[in-house]
Amino acid sequence: MNSERIFALDALRAIMMLLGIVLHAGITYASADYANFWPLKNPENSIGFDIIVAIIHFFRMPVFFVVSGYFGALLFYKKGAQQMLKNRINRILLPLIAGVLIVYPLAFFAFTFTKSAFSGVGYPLTIAWEEMIAGKFLPFNVLHLWFLYFLIFYSIGGWAIAKIFNQNTVFTAFFNKIFSYILERCWLRLVCLTVLFFLCQFWIGEPFLTTNNKWSIDVPIFMTYFLFFETGWVIFKTNSLGKLKGYPIAQLVLATIFFFLFILIPWPDSTGWLYLRELLSALFGSMFIFGFIAFFMTYFNNYSPRLSYIMEAAYWVYIIHLPIVAFMPGLISGLAIPVFFKFLISLSVTTVICVMSYHYAVRNTFIGMFLNGKVHSPIKRTVVNELASEL
């Protein structure tokens, strides 16, 4: 299994990235205040988008980091420690630097424009431009690319830990045996990850999984996602991926039920109930992780031209989408239509622009080589046309 390309995990990683566009398109129209992470709030909003944002947020990045840990380990053990670090520099560090420097000014302009449009101020484009030339576009944070920032440190940490445990000793053999035993059993791996996840939630002090898009590191948040990364690393090291295929639908259904119990029950405001909510979120979060891995391993572990195209496009699409998805709500703010249709317009236009830009400006160019390590021959393809026609 480990010597072959894992189409299921490639697809899973890509889908988790692309769900970020759905999350960012929906959060603008949600009713809760997300000002600390997302400064845009449409005057007309709906709690339905809060639910969409919450459920995606609870599983998207944990699943992504587990998959990233798996592929980090694959590089380490198949290509060697030096090649693994070189690959991470080329595929993560350099795109992070380029992405922040290029996307941040565009995103700043888009956010300023839409905030001005929402407030009813005249000439929002002029205001956004004036803010830009005033020099306020410098990258004071890493925006939506915080996961790349974390992955650089995780790759170094995984490399260092693997170097220590890569020796064939009684100690390492014992831990490999223990981890293999845990991962082979559905209930046991759920219990173990839930307990570790709960301890991280307890450390953070919140029942919600939070993010950190600042250059400074929030240690509890950082270590929580490192737990997921190392989980993926151990899955590869113990050759346990094929053993995670059981009960995909059951795990995802139970996780969804527990999620709705979590958000719909009027929980009392006390320390004890906070701990219970942290435990519940850790439980359904772990179910989502193993459920999605099992689901994709069961139903999407075969080559598909369309899915392969999505896998290759996802990196570019996610990096570049933020300015567009932040600009669109301001552009359509004056339309007298329900917020659900505004959401669909914002999501669809953003997706089409990103996919088309990938197909015609990235896929067969040095940018494609920069992001994905390969350039496709400029042959005639129909996949992108099929995808665009379905949006």
Side-chain angles (χ1 to χ4, degrees):
M1 175 78 70
N2 289 344
S3 61
E4 303 171 357
R5 181 177 180 183
I6 313 298
F7 292 106
L9 295 190
D10 273 336
L12 183 54
R13 178 173 56 181
I15 295 302
M16 292 302 111
M17 275 194 186
L18 296 179
L19 280 176
I21 305 178
V22 181
L23 187 151
H24 292 146
I27 196 171
T28 300
Y29 301 103
S31 61
D33 183 8
Y34 299 96
N36 291 333
F37 305 102
W38 191 261
L40 303 180
K41 187 177 180 63
N42 193 70
E44 297 82 30
N45 46 68
S46 169
I47 194 172
F49 293 109
D50 293 276
I51 296 174
I52 293 172
V53 167
I55 194 168
I56 292 175
H57 182 69
F58 264 111
F59 67 73
R60 187 176 71 92
M61 294 315 297
V63 170
F64 175 86
F65 278 114
V66 171
V67 175
S68 296
Y70 183 93
F71 283 123
L74 185 150
L75 283 169
F76 181 90
Y77 293 107
K78 295 297 179 181
K79 301 293 185 181
Q82 184 175 351
Q83 285 300 313
M84 179 259 193
L85 289 179
K86 181 180 178 181
N87 179 279
R88 300 297 84 181
I89 290 173
N90 291 336
R91 301 290 167 263
I92 297 176
L93 179 59
L94 296 181
L96 168 66
I97 295 171
V100 169
L101 291 177
I102 295 171
V103 173
Y104 192 97
L106 299 174
F108 176 84
F109 181 87
F111 278 113
T112 305
F113 165 78
T114 296
K115 285 174 68 177
S116 300
F118 283 171
S119 65
V121 177
Y123 307 107
L125 280 174
T126 302
I127 293 174
W129 176 249
E130 289 176 349
E131 292 287 303
M132 281 282 290
I133 62 177
K136 297 181 180 180
F137 60 86
L138 297 176
F140 296 106
N141 59 57
V142 291
L143 293 174
H144 62 313
L145 303 181
W146 64 271
F147 74 99
L148 295 179
Y149 186 51
F150 277 24
L151 276 178
I152 292 298
F153 294 104
Y154 294 166
S155 298
I156 296 172
W159 172 86
I161 294 172
K163 291 287 284 185
I164 295 171
F165 284 88
N166 201 31
Q167 307 300 320
N168 292 321
T169 65
V170 175
F171 180 74
T172 57
F174 172 77
F175 272 95
N176 283 337
K177 187 175 181 179
I178 291 294
F179 288 138
S180 296
Y181 182 87
I182 292 172
L183 289 168
E184 286 176 1
R185 290 156 177 82
C186 182
W187 67 269
L188 187 55
R189 62 177 177 255
L190 275 174
V191 168
C192 291
L193 184 57
T194 297
V195 170
L196 294 173
F197 194 175
F198 165 72
L199 293 175
C200 291
Q201 297 282 67
F202 177 81
W203 191 6
I204 294 173
E206 294 286 346
F208 306 101
L209 189 60
T210 55
T211 57
N212 175 32
N213 63 0
K214 300 177 181 178
W215 290 106
S216 59
I217 296 294
D218 186 309
V219 176
I221 296 174
F222 180 86
M223 294 307 297
T224 300
Y225 289 105
F226 189 50
L227 165 66
F228 304 133
F229 181 87
E230 282 299 298
T231 298
W233 193 289
V234 170
I235 289 171
F236 180 89
K237 182 64 171 66
T238 57
N239 196 24
S240 299
L241 183 61
K243 301 166 186 175
L244 307 183
K245 294 173 66 175
Y247 314 108
I249 304 300
Q251 291 186 87
L252 292 176
V253 169
L254 281 174
T256 304
I257 292 172
F258 288 142
F259 165 77
F260 278 103
L261 290 176
F262 176 84
I263 64 169
L264 295 179
I265 291 178
W267 299 90
D269 186 13
S270 68
T271 302
W273 286 104
L274 172 62
Y275 296 158
L276 182 59
R277 294 176 69 198
E278 291 172 349
L279 180 61
L280 183 59
S281 69
L283 174 60
F284 69 71
S286 300
M287 285 184 172
F288 272 131
I289 290 171
F290 290 120
F292 273 111
I293 292 175
F295 185 83
F296 274 74
M297 285 295 295
T298 301
Y299 300 107
F300 295 97
N301 202 26
N302 296 307
Y303 173 77
S304 162
R306 181 177 300 188
L307 201 54
S308 180
Y309 186 95
I310 293 173
M311 295 175 199
E312 294 158 358
Y315 201 9
W316 164 262
V317 170
Y318 184 76
I319 288 175
I320 203 66
H321 86 277
L322 193 69
I324 306 169
V325 82
F327 186 82
M328 284 303 303
L331 193 63
I332 63 176
S333 61
L335 297 180
I337 58 176
V339 292
F340 179 74
F341 291 108
K342 289 185 177 181
F343 162 76
L344 287 180
I345 292 172
S346 180
L347 176 63
S348 300
V349 172
T350 299
T351 304
V352 169
I353 292 175
C354 290
V355 171
M356 290 299 181
S357 66
Y358 170 76
H359 189 75
Y360 293 108
V362 173
R363 182 175 172 84
N364 306 318
T365 69
F366 73 95
I367 305 175
M369 172 65 76
F370 180 65
L371 293 177
N372 298 323
K374 56 184 176 181
V375 175
H376 296 266
S377 300
I379 59 177
K380 188 175 181 179
R381 293 180 177 268
T382 60
V383 175
V384 70
N385 299 324
E386 294 175 6
L387 290 172
S389 68
E390 294 174 1
L391 295 174

